[in-house]
Amino acid sequence: MIRLIASFSLLASAALAAPDGATIYADLCSSCHAQTRLGGTGPALIPESLGRLKGDKLEAVIAEGRAMTQMPAFKATLTPGEIAAVASYVSAPLAEAPLWTEAEIAASRDLNPGYSPATAPVFAADPMNITLVVETGDSHISVLDGDTFEVLDRFETPFAVHGGPKFSPDGRYVFVMSRDGWVQKYDIWSLQEVGRVRAGLNSRNIAMSHDGKWIAVANYLPMTLTILSTGDLSVAKVIEVTGRKGTPSRVSAVYQAPDRESFILALKDVPEIWEVATDPDAGPYHDGFVHSHEAGMEESLAAEKGLFARRRIDVSAPLDDFFFDHGYRNLIGANREGETGVVVNLDVGREIADLPLPGMPHLGSGISWMRDGRRVMAVPHLNEGRISVIDMTDWSLVKTIETSGPGFFLRSHDGSPYFWADVFTGPNKGQMHIIDKETLEVVKVLTPEPGKTVAHTEFTKDGRHALVSVWEQDGAVIVFDATTFEEVRRLPMVKPSGKYNVWNKITFEDGTSH
Ligand code: DHE
């Protein structure tokens, strides 16, 4: 009996001693991150949002806080065991998939009461040569004059902006998305935020419709596509994403296909690509046929018509990370299983070719140009130090260009004979390769900040200057002369990531990702 009581009390004291992550979270974290963990003034703390912030890295953020944000350091308040318990609590999946209904999206809409639209740009700079710099280190965007490189404004964004911001077709407004699903609208002419709305709980990217009326938001959580009106950020439609056989699917990304007057969706969990019409007179958008391997079984599905009509295109395995040809007739997607690229003809709605692209091609940052009268595209690989150049007429591999490490982004400009390719990981990270678009030879390797990540290039409107990010907390944007490769200016920035020139984006410049 005495032994039994002793073991009970041992268990009780062990239970008392074990820190409870949920209780600590409720006491110290929920006021900013919400009791639901879906985010409030602070970001959502769920595995989908934390991404690669795991284990020691996550504990370090809780212990040390985050510089230049509201996130305080908890190392004086919590023991290492308590910090580990909260880290483990926020790393666990939510017990139930959260809902985020149309009503909740609408209720999150937060329009800037102080916004007053200007009738003309409030600055003298060329509005077509404005370049935005996303500074992820302290969640801001700098608005640069693309001629003088003066910072015209620096505005706060939601936490963890990802993907390219999307401009209205006239270049006046820009829409920015965060991984927590916030979409922010900013008026470049007025240098003011118009407002923001939370379109999803965990989102991937956004796309602008051909006519500038709609913004589509690709969501992982919930598994939906949210379509917003660009005018006032109201909800136009929330489309539940479910495969033919009823399997719900995350949306890996949504792309604008202006020539087709549609959005194209990459689905993560089902072997389908979706096309959603942005043309009010679209259709009928036939859902095509279900092809079954059972002999003779072919079932025709219903057609949808009009604005936001949906068409399904069957593929042999889920594809993501799309690159489109001119005219948006074909897309190239990555089949992560087989490490191949697959060409899908969107007109006929089926796969037409395979491409050998092992090593995780990053098609989304591919670029294309005319070489010897034929259109070619180049794509970097996230796992290997090489760039594949593909002939877009017969889908053959023209050349594999060796680089000093795996890269993330490529950029060029019609006005430049070169394209710029970074090295994002590995011992040579920070090297920038400049490659001749005709000979496909590396003509120069720049190492502007040895040991630091230097990545992502954007050109000015005329292609004369190339802007490169020193992707560090105390980072910078370096402006290079795109012909001599000499450094022209260095602008201090807080962990700058992508840069986006209005003209290059709204004209769908060949050298830029769309
Ligand atoms: Fe991105 C664009 C997907 C990780 C920075 N990234 C995109 C796009 C997609 C994508 C589909 C195109 C969207 C668009 O612009 O509309 N990214 C993914 C991933 O699946 C991946 C590998 C894993 C993930 O966590 O989502 C991934 N991306 C990253 C990063 O780790 C980067 C380097 C840092 C970050 O901010 O998260 C990063 N991705 C970017 C940037 C763009 C981007 C800067 C826009 C590039 C452009 O020039 O348009």
Side-chain angles (χ1 to χ4, degrees):
M1 183 66 172
I2 292 173
R3 200 187 292 162
L4 201 64
I5 292 171
S7 37
F8 267 139
S9 64
L10 263 180
L11 274 175
S13 59
L16 274 180
D20 176 11
T23 308
I24 301 168
Y25 180 88
D27 289 347
L28 297 178
C29 317
S30 63
S31 56
C32 291
H33 299 280
Q35 188 58 39
T36 55
R37 289 167 47 203
L38 294 174
T41 51
L45 295 181
I46 52 177
E48 293 85 348
S49 314
L50 292 168
R52 279 167 287 171
L53 190 61
K54 296 186 176 120
D56 291 353
K57 280 194 200 155
L58 180 56
E59 288 173 28
V61 173
I62 300 168
E64 305 295 336
R66 264 192 198 278
M68 291 189 260
T69 73
Q70 304 289 313
M71 174 68 186
F74 284 98
K75 64 182 174 200
T77 325
L78 298 173
T79 64
E82 288 168 332
I83 289 175
V86 194
S88 138
Y89 175 69
V90 299
S91 301
L94 292 173
E96 278 178 34
L99 291 176
W100 193 243
T101 61
E102 206 169 312
E104 284 163 304
I105 300 171
S108 73
R109 196 165 62 129
D110 183 10
L111 299 180
N112 174 8
Y115 170 59
S116 92
T119 49
V122 295
F123 44 82
D126 174 2
M128 290 292 122
N129 197 20
I130 295 292
T131 297
L132 302 185
V133 183
V134 175
E135 294 179 71
T136 53
D138 66 349
S139 305
H140 275 74
I141 285 183
S142 283
V143 182
L144 284 188
D145 174 338
D147 292 295
T148 63
F149 306 112
E150 180 199 347
V151 178
L152 302 174
D153 187 27
R154 191 169 186 273
F155 63 93
E156 192 167 4
T157 66
F159 179 75
V161 165
H162 179 242
K166 299 296 179 307
F167 295 95
S168 55
D170 61 0
R172 169 168 184 168
Y173 299 99
V174 67
F175 297 79
V176 178
M177 189 218 73
S178 77
R179 289 189 187 257
D180 277 355
W182 284 97
V183 176
Q184 177 185 34
K185 177 177 177 183
Y186 177 85
D187 179 352
I188 295 174
W189 282 18
S190 313
L191 299 179
Q192 279 186 318
E193 171 168 348
V194 181
R196 56 181 81 186
V197 62
R198 192 170 189 186
L201 295 173
N202 185 253
S203 306
R204 301 287 301 160
N205 77 323
I206 52 177
M208 169 70 67
S209 65
H210 70 285
D211 54 7
K213 289 186 178 164
W214 317 108
I215 276 278
V217 188
N219 298 319
Y220 265 8
L221 259 185
M223 298 191 204
T224 53
L225 181 82
T226 303
I227 301 178
L228 302 170
S229 157
T230 52
D232 61 1
L233 297 179
S234 59
V235 187
K237 187 160 185 174
V238 177
I239 303 177
E240 302 271 338
V241 179
T242 307
R244 281 190 196 285
K245 295 179 181 159
T247 311
S249 177
R250 293 167 289 175
V251 185
S252 294
V254 57
Y255 301 88
Q256 46 209 10
D259 301 35
R260 306 181 68 80
E261 302 193 346
S262 65
F263 294 126
I264 306 288
L265 277 66
L267 304 193
K268 180 110 182 144
D269 305 303
V270 295
E272 293 173 27
I273 292 169
W274 282 14
E275 179 164 26
V276 172
T278 53
D279 166 15
D281 304 318
Y285 243 38
H286 287 284
D287 238 7
F289 294 94
V290 176
H291 294 278
S292 168
H293 295 297
E294 288 166 42
M297 189 181 145
E298 238 184 23
E299 183 192 344
S300 169
L301 291 172
E304 291 191 11
K305 284 198 291 192
L307 190 61
F308 310 140
R310 189 267 332 268
R311 169 188 177 213
R312 297 175 197 263
I313 297 169
D314 293 305
V315 284
S316 47
L319 298 177
D320 64 13
D321 202 12
F322 293 166
F323 184 83
F324 296 86
D325 68 358
H326 265 229
Y328 289 80
R329 303 244 300 279
N330 294 294
L331 73 74
I332 302 107
N335 175 343
R336 295 294 176 213
E337 299 282 306
E339 293 221 310
T340 50
V342 178
V343 184
V344 177
N345 183 291
L346 292 167
D347 291 344
V348 298
R350 63 182 166 77
E351 294 171 15
I352 56 163
D354 279 343
L355 299 170
L357 292 175
M360 291 274 281
H362 194 216
L363 289 156
S365 65
I367 55 166
S368 83
W369 68 95
M370 292 302 288
R371 177 175 180 265
D372 296 336
R374 289 171 84 92
R375 184 159 287 277
V376 294
M377 63 173 280
V379 58
H381 293 259
L382 300 176
N383 286 350
E384 288 170 23
R386 56 198 183 81
I387 294 164
S388 300
V389 181
I390 293 154
D391 185 317
M392 295 185 77
T393 312
D394 61 10
W395 305 110
S396 60
L397 187 66
V398 177
K399 184 169 177 181
T400 300
I401 304 168
E402 302 294 329
T403 62
S404 60
F408 225 96
F409 304 107
L410 301 183
R411 268 295 204 277
S412 186
H413 191 281
D414 243 1
S416 170
Y418 310 109
F419 71 91
W420 294 47
D422 53 37
V423 175
F424 205 77
T425 49
N428 296 319
K429 77 171 186 190
Q431 296 199 340
M432 184 64 75
H433 296 69
I434 300 173
I435 300 165
D436 189 304
K437 292 198 282 195
E438 213 43 56
T439 63
L440 305 181
E441 297 294 333
V442 177
V443 295
K444 181 116 185 160
V445 178
L446 302 171
T447 316
E449 278 282 334
K452 299 200 169 164
T453 306
V454 174
H456 194 279
T457 308
E458 174 61 304
F459 285 77
T460 46
K461 175 183 159 190
D462 56 11
R464 282 180 44 221
H465 292 103
L467 283 65
V468 167
S469 293
V470 180
W471 199 295
E472 304 283 341
Q473 197 65 18
D474 57 344
V477 162
I478 307 179
V479 181
F480 288 96
D481 182 307
T483 312
T484 63
F485 317 135
E486 294 299 322
E487 183 172 330
V488 176
R489 286 283 292 275
R490 194 173 278 232
L491 312 164
M493 299 268 171
V494 188
K495 205 171 188 187
S497 59
K499 299 160 296 302
Y500 309 90
N501 178 274
V502 170
W503 178 257
N504 295 344
K505 285 293 173 188
I506 66 173
T507 58
F508 290 79
E509 222 307 314
D510 271 350
T512 187
S513 50
H514 302 148

